[in-house]
Amino acid sequence: MTTDDTASTQGPSQEPQAAAAESSDAKTFTGQATTAVTTVDIQTLSFPDGSRGTFQTPGPRSVSTPISSGRVSPGYKASQSGGEADDGVSVMSFAPTMRPAGDIASLFVGDLSKRSVAWNMLRSQAPTVQPFETSRYRPGDMLGKFEEEFESIPSEATDDIDDAARVAMWKSKLKHYMILSSAGKPIWSRHGDLMLINSSIGVMQTIISFYEGAKSPLLGFTAGDARFVVLTRGPLYFVAVSKLGESDSQLRAQLDALYMQILSTLTLPTLKKIFVHRPSSDLRKPLQGTESLLSSLADTFTRGSPTTLLGSLECLKLRKSQRYSINNTFLKLRSDKLLYGLIIAGGKLVSVIRPRRHSLHPSDLQLIFNMLFESDGIKGGGGENWIPLCLPAFNNEGYLYMYVSFFEDEDQEAQKEAAGASEQATPVSQQIAMVLISTDKESFFGLKKMRDDVAQQLAKNGNLAVIRSAVRAGRPQMAQIVPGNPMSHFLYKSKANVQFCMASLEPPFDAISERRRLMSLYHEMHAAVHAKHTHLKILHNTSEDFTSLAWVTPVFELYCVGGPNMSRATMGQGANKIIQWAKKEEQRLFIIGGGVF
């Protein structure tokens, strides 16, 4: 627009022409929103990694203008002077009703307009951004030192660490589990000795008892950035304190698993008998020796347990014919005293045989897996183990008897002897165990003979080598399932089989802190779609750190994670491929029925 200073410098004969030009162009230039400042449009695209790409559109074209879309933008008003917009409006005032011409349109209207060739070329040059790439460098990241979460706190003050430092270490933990009696007696705590946390136990018992007296049991509360969840089971109080963002129902399920761990040692009648006569009884002595089982189970929850989150089991991927052959070997050599027979490899179920009308609950199997692969008790004993065990979901009032034996990898043993004593033992993820469960406490020798016969036959027909090969292969990789798709990880649960599968934890998720970030996101998605009174079936979420998708149907649950620059269409395509893959591989991924006698 011509300014007053410019007008004053022109001659008198030019003033009417200038005034006329100004009058005729007033509507054209008043507050006109534009994305270009020259006759050549320069388009700039920014990528998540901070890099930029620019290009110019060949040929003349008009500046970008808003078009009518049938909706009225809250920031848009008609100009009083008759122009299209007020002087104070900006480009963003027209979003989302603004649809500029060409490539820049896709920045505002997303997938509603077709991507241009220039956009696709620049998009193809942008590197794939992994989830959580920015969060790990953010100041105040609480998972930055997640490895320290599992370091023990000194039981006594020393010259280097005084009592104040010990208390500070205890408070710095992101997650706590505590068990106490209704009389206020401390029973167990994951972090810190009982002398260190005795005052905290007393405060918790006072708060819980106050609500119990008011006939309104305390379920949970928030203090600062920590969430406290309380579970009452008879004379025992279980308390979880978490700063990791889990929901109350998820924390309560974890506390219930700790309660099941106690019942597996004592049985419910024994637990009631201890407290019925003396409510102030100290339960530490009857539980002596099982602290490692409670601690290993708690650490599994802190690291993130898909089994507990989904309430299902993970199975080793095998061909249907191979699993059928293993089950048949089990059934043909079955002992008369056998109730359940299991082969477990690295925390994954390989084979199970059971009575026709009995099945094992996932919570019971989790207790067995924790005992075999997480705690040091059975692994440290080596050889054969004969263990009285209560499986609470099967029968919480009596004991079963479990025979456990680990298979030795002859190839690794030979390599170990050749390399010397410095060679490490078989990794936990590759250990294979046979578990035989009976109701008869005198059946040790019968189950031992069955174990020897089954092991010999599995080695003879090559099935043991097949199991070892499948264990070493590990979980399927994302590139094998969704080739060419930038999706980073997924969890898939088959509801009918109460089993799940997941992608391998490739870098960066092989690090413990990054695995926790991933599991925290899965916990958030699971809590959102399973919240009370919710009717969500599909939940798509984007943020500066990740893109996620949760999909729940009566048949399956699917949770997917990708980088922040992953589009909704790409995520949807990847999710469909995973579902098709899971349906195609169902007989290999899941145990359907198992061996029945």
Side-chain angles (χ1 to χ4, degrees):
M1 182 181 295
T2 307
T3 63
D4 293 339
D5 292 339
T6 305
S8 64
T9 60
Q10 299 177 358
S13 61
Q14 296 178 348
E15 289 182 1
Q17 297 177 2
E22 182 178 19
S23 175
S24 63
D25 295 341
K27 294 183 179 181
T28 305
F29 294 103
T30 302
Q32 178 66 37
T34 178
T35 57
V37 293
T38 68
T39 57
V40 178
D41 282 354
I42 305 297
Q43 309 295 341
T44 303
L45 299 180
S46 299
F47 298 107
D49 62 353
S51 62
R52 291 174 177 267
T54 62
F55 60 93
Q56 67 181 28
T57 303
R61 77 174 180 189
S62 62
V63 295
S64 304
T65 57
I67 63 174
S68 175
S69 62
R71 297 172 296 180
V72 178
S73 174
Y76 182 81
K77 297 186 296 182
S79 174
Q80 298 292 336
S81 62
E84 288 187 7
D86 287 340
D87 294 339
V89 301
S90 65
V91 173
M92 293 308 296
S93 301
F94 294 100
T97 60
M98 179 177 182
R99 187 172 300 178
D103 307 280
I104 204 69
S106 58
L107 295 177
F108 293 102
V109 298
D111 294 331
L112 297 179
S113 62
K114 186 178 179 180
R115 307 295 191 189
S116 70
V117 176
W119 173 274
N120 293 331
M121 291 177 63
L122 286 173
R123 182 77 175 183
S124 64
Q125 297 174 6
T128 301
V129 181
Q130 292 293 328
F132 317 117
E133 282 195 2
T134 58
S135 58
R136 68 176 67 104
Y137 302 112
R138 192 170 297 145
D141 176 29
M142 66 178 181
L143 294 178
K145 298 181 179 179
F146 188 64
E147 295 81 1
E148 299 178 1
E149 180 73 13
F150 307 98
E151 295 180 358
S152 60
I153 300 174
S155 57
E156 296 181 357
T158 61
D159 295 337
D160 298 330
I161 302 177
D162 57 9
D163 288 334
R166 292 172 63 231
V167 173
M169 291 177 64
W170 184 78
K171 291 182 177 180
S172 68
K173 301 298 184 182
L174 299 176
K175 204 165 184 182
H176 294 271
Y177 296 95
M178 293 176 281
I179 304 176
L180 59 150
S181 68
S182 56
K185 291 278 188 179
I187 296 173
W188 172 83
S189 172
R190 172 58 190 96
H191 298 294
D193 60 279
L194 297 182
M195 293 299 296
L196 179 65
I197 66 168
N198 200 35
S199 58
S200 300
I201 292 286
V203 172
M204 287 302 306
Q205 192 271 338
T206 302
I207 296 174
I208 296 172
S209 298
F210 173 81
Y211 282 88
E212 291 281 351
K215 306 299 181 183
S216 178
L218 178 63
L219 300 178
F221 60 92
T222 301
D225 58 350
R227 180 63 183 173
F228 290 70
V229 172
V230 180
L231 178 71
T232 303
R233 287 289 183 265
L236 301 181
Y237 297 148
F238 297 80
V239 181
V241 185
S242 177
K243 301 178 184 178
L244 297 176
E246 294 130 310
S247 68
D248 285 14
S249 60
Q250 292 165 355
L251 291 173
R252 198 164 285 112
Q254 297 170 16
L255 293 176
D256 202 48
L258 294 176
Y259 173 62
M260 294 291 186
Q261 183 65 64
I262 290 179
L263 289 185
S264 72
T265 304
L266 297 179
T267 73
L268 184 60
T270 302
L271 183 63
K272 290 181 177 180
K273 185 177 180 181
I274 291 174
F275 286 97
V276 70
H277 300 297
R278 294 184 58 190
S280 61
S281 297
D282 189 351
L283 199 61
R284 285 178 291 178
K285 188 173 182 180
L287 290 176
Q288 189 173 7
T290 64
E291 296 88 351
S292 63
L293 295 175
L294 291 169
S295 296
S296 61
L297 192 59
D299 288 347
T300 299
F301 301 149
T302 303
R303 286 191 295 268
S305 170
T307 296
T308 306
L309 176 65
L310 301 176
S312 54
L313 295 170
E314 185 178 14
C315 299
L316 187 68
K317 185 181 178 184
L318 288 174
R319 292 180 180 273
K320 178 183 177 181
S321 58
Q322 294 169 343
R323 204 184 306 272
Y324 182 78
S325 176
I326 295 171
N327 290 343
N328 277 348
T329 302
F330 239 156
L331 291 171
K332 289 179 181 178
L333 301 174
R334 177 178 63 91
S335 170
D336 295 336
K337 301 293 185 179
L338 183 72
L339 178 62
Y340 293 109
L342 310 169
I343 294 180
I344 308 167
K348 302 181 187 68
L349 191 61
V350 179
S351 173
V352 56
I353 60 172
R354 59 181 178 83
R356 184 168 299 277
R357 296 187 179 181
H358 292 277
S359 60
L360 279 171
H361 195 274
S363 62
D364 286 340
L365 285 171
Q366 185 180 27
L367 295 178
I368 295 175
F369 291 2
N370 176 64
M371 185 179 295
L372 296 182
F373 300 103
E374 300 297 337
S375 66
D376 297 328
I378 294 181
K379 290 185 298 183
E384 301 168 321
N385 295 270
W386 182 248
I387 305 165
L389 178 70
C390 172
L391 297 179
F394 175 76
N395 179 13
N396 60 16
E397 297 186 352
Y399 287 105
L400 298 174
Y401 299 89
M402 183 171 68
Y403 174 88
V404 180
S405 176
F406 284 87
F407 290 90
E408 294 183 358
D409 193 333
E410 297 178 356
D411 294 337
Q412 288 197 359
E413 289 294 325
Q415 294 176 6
K416 181 178 177 181
E417 292 179 1
S422 60
E423 187 74 17
Q424 293 183 353
T426 305
V428 173
S429 60
Q430 296 184 12
Q431 291 180 348
I432 305 172
M434 185 184 298
V435 177
L436 306 176
I437 301 174
S438 174
T439 57
D440 185 1
K441 63 180 180 181
E442 304 295 336
S443 60
F444 172 83
F445 292 103
L447 296 183
K448 173 180 169 56
K449 183 179 185 304
M450 176 184 171
R451 183 270 176 199
D452 294 340
D453 294 342
V454 171
Q456 182 180 2
Q457 186 62 30
L458 290 177
K460 182 179 180 180
N461 59 24
N463 283 326
L464 188 57
V466 168
I467 295 173
R468 288 201 176 103
S469 177
V471 169
R472 295 191 183 104
R475 299 184 178 102
Q477 298 180 352
M478 291 300 300
Q480 299 171 339
I481 304 171
V482 284
N485 191 290
M487 189 181 293
S488 301
H489 199 267
F490 76 88
L491 287 178
Y492 178 93
K493 175 184 176 180
S494 171
K495 290 187 173 181
N497 299 306
V498 200
Q499 298 166 36
F500 77 95
C501 65
M502 59 186 286
S504 62
L505 294 169
E506 303 174 61
F509 300 131
D510 55 344
I512 186 172
S513 58
E514 300 307 311
R515 183 181 187 272
R516 179 63 241 190
R517 289 185 209 276
L518 180 65
M519 288 307 305
S520 294
L521 178 56
Y522 283 138
H523 277 81
E524 292 176 10
M525 288 192 285
H526 186 273
V529 297
H530 289 282
K532 288 184 178 180
H533 311 299
T534 187
H535 300 286
L536 281 176
K537 299 301 179 184
I538 299 178
L539 174 64
H540 179 256
N541 185 24
T542 60
S543 77
E544 61 180 355
D545 292 329
F546 59 84
T547 302
S548 64
L549 175 69
W551 188 356
V552 178
T553 74
V555 178
F556 64 83
E557 293 182 14
L558 177 64
Y559 304 90
C560 307
V561 177
N565 64 342
M566 190 174 181
S567 68
R568 181 173 58 186
T570 306
M571 178 68 79
Q573 292 170 2
N576 281 320
K577 287 183 179 179
I578 292 173
I579 294 169
Q580 294 169 5
W581 169 82
K583 185 177 181 180
K584 178 182 177 182
E585 301 287 330
E586 184 178 23
Q587 297 284 350
R588 299 185 180 187
L589 293 171
F590 308 124
I591 296 177
I592 303 177
V596 179
F597 57 88

